[in-house]
Amino acid sequence: MYGYGVAIAYLEASGERVDTKFELWRELIYDIRGLRLDSYGIAERLRSWRQA
C-alpha cells in the first residue's frame, strides 16, 4: 500500500494523470512480484493508464 501511495503521489506531482483504480495497481504489483515485468514493462503499463 505504501508503494502504491508513493507512486500515485509521484505521478500526480509530475503532472501525469493515471487511472488509479486499485485493481489495475494490484495486477501490476502481482506481475512485478512474479518477475513478469522489468522496468521497461512497468513504465509501459503506467503509460497505458494515462488520462487526458
Side-chain angles (χ1 to χ4, degrees):
M1 289 301 292
Y2 177 77
Y4 167 70
V6 170
I8 290 174
Y10 176 79
L11 289 167
E12 289 180 357
S14 299
E16 292 291 335
R17 305 254 334 137
V18 296
D19 187 341
T20 55
K21 294 178 188 161
F22 184 73
E23 291 79 15
L24 294 174
W25 288 93
R26 183 182 59 217
E27 290 175 16
L28 176 63
I29 292 164
Y30 287 152
D31 287 343
I32 292 168
R33 285 184 179 167
L35 302 176
R36 291 181 286 277
L37 290 174
D38 59 11
S39 59
Y40 296 106
I42 295 166
E44 182 59 35
R45 177 96 48 103
L46 291 172
R47 280 192 293 271
S48 74
W49 296 348
R50 285 183 182 162
Q51 295 177 346

